[in-house]
């Protein structure tokens, strides 16, 4: 009974403390997609991906031609020549697979590198917005089950990020050469 009386003031103190807390959230995934630097990085990576896919398609066509040539010539080739051609085909196929895997790893690494830089700067902006808005906590939206829309500071974070960093390091050089062409 005595413990209950001692705990009673604590039960009433918790709601008062909870009311004083201000919690916001940021949709980090959306913010990364909407900041100018993120858009520029995605466009750059997409362009590189298309170039690499074109190279792979070219190699695939070469492999298909090699296979078709082998199929046509197989009936007249000696066993040694057949074996040599099959080994060459297999080697070319393995090289093409390795090149495709290496390309995927390279692009993933570049994407991760770009996103790490953006994420680091995004955290700076979140800290500034949190301080200005007097938030006790700012949480990633992906960790929330529910939150009122009024607590969403994603738009403010994106706006401030673009003001501060604006993708100038990555996006502006691509835009400047395009302007004189118009």
């Amino acid at each position: 009974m005595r413990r209950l009386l001692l705990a009673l003031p604590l039960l009433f103190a918790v709601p008062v403390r909870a009311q004083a807390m201000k919690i916001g959230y940021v949709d980090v995934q959306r913010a990364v997609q909407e900041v100018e630097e993120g858009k520029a990085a995605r466009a750059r990576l997409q362009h590189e991906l298309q170039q690499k896919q074109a190279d792979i398609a070219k190699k695939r066509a070469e492999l298909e031609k090699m296979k078709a040539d082998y199929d046509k010539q197989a009936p007249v080739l000696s066993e040694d020549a057949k074996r040599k051609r099959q080994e060459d085909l297999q080697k070319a196929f393995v090289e093409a697979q390795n090149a495709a895997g290496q390309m995927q790893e390279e692009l993933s690494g570049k994407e991760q590198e770009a996103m790490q830089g953006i994420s680091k700067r995004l955290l700076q902006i979140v800290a500034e917005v949190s301080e200005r808005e007097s938030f006790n906590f700012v949480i990633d939206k992906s960790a929330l089950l529910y939150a009122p829309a009024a607590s969403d500071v994603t738009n403010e974070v994106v706006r401030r990020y673009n003001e501060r960093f604006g993708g100038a390091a990555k996006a502006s050089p691509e835009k400047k050469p395009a302007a004189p062409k118009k």
Side-chain angles (χ1 to χ4, degrees):
M1 178 87 148
R2 187 173 185 170
R3 288 185 191 170
L4 180 61
L5 290 175
L6 289 174
L8 198 54
L10 293 176
L11 291 175
F12 291 113
V14 172
V16 172
R17 183 181 298 159
Q19 289 176 351
M21 292 205 134
K22 189 171 177 185
I23 300 173
Y25 68 92
V26 175
D27 187 341
V28 175
Q29 185 176 4
R30 190 184 101 210
V32 168
Q33 291 175 357
E34 289 182 7
V35 296
E36 294 301 320
E37 189 176 359
K39 290 176 185 178
R42 259 192 327 285
R44 203 174 47 254
L45 290 169
Q46 185 65 32
H47 178 71
E48 192 171 337
L49 174 65
Q50 290 170 347
Q51 287 178 329
K52 301 276 186 179
Q53 286 176 334
D55 291 344
I56 288 174
K58 184 179 175 183
K59 287 181 182 183
R60 182 178 295 130
E62 290 172 5
L63 279 172
E64 289 173 2
K65 185 180 181 311
M66 285 175 66
K67 173 77 167 110
D69 289 346
Y70 170 76
D71 289 342
K72 287 179 186 175
Q73 296 173 359
V76 295
L77 293 175
S78 68
E79 289 302 314
D80 286 339
K82 283 182 186 178
R83 191 173 343 106
K84 172 78 169 109
R85 284 281 195 82
Q86 287 173 345
E87 288 173 3
D88 290 345
L89 275 170
Q90 185 64 25
K91 182 179 176 183
F93 179 74
V94 168
E95 286 174 359
Q97 282 185 319
N98 289 341
Q102 184 178 2
M103 178 215 48
Q104 183 64 37
E105 284 181 33
E106 180 181 322
L107 288 175
S108 292
K110 286 181 179 183
E111 180 182 26
Q112 186 176 17
E113 182 180 318
M115 294 307 122
Q116 282 177 343
I118 292 169
S119 294
K120 183 178 178 183
R121 289 183 288 283
L122 199 62
L123 287 175
Q124 291 174 355
I125 299 300
V126 168
E128 291 172 12
V129 169
S130 298
E131 199 170 303
R132 193 183 108 227
E133 298 290 329
S134 302
F135 284 112
N136 298 92
F137 298 98
V138 175
I139 302 169
D140 185 354
K141 182 180 180 182
S142 66
L144 293 173
L145 296 176
Y146 170 78
S151 298
D152 186 357
V153 292
T154 306
N155 291 337
E156 179 67 10
V157 168
V158 169
R159 185 185 67 74
R160 288 175 153 260
Y161 187 102
N162 286 336
E163 283 177 0
R164 166 95 47 88
F165 302 108
K170 310 277 184 197
S172 292
E174 293 174 5
K175 290 180 182 177
K176 286 180 183 175
K181 291 179 184 177
K182 291 180 181 176

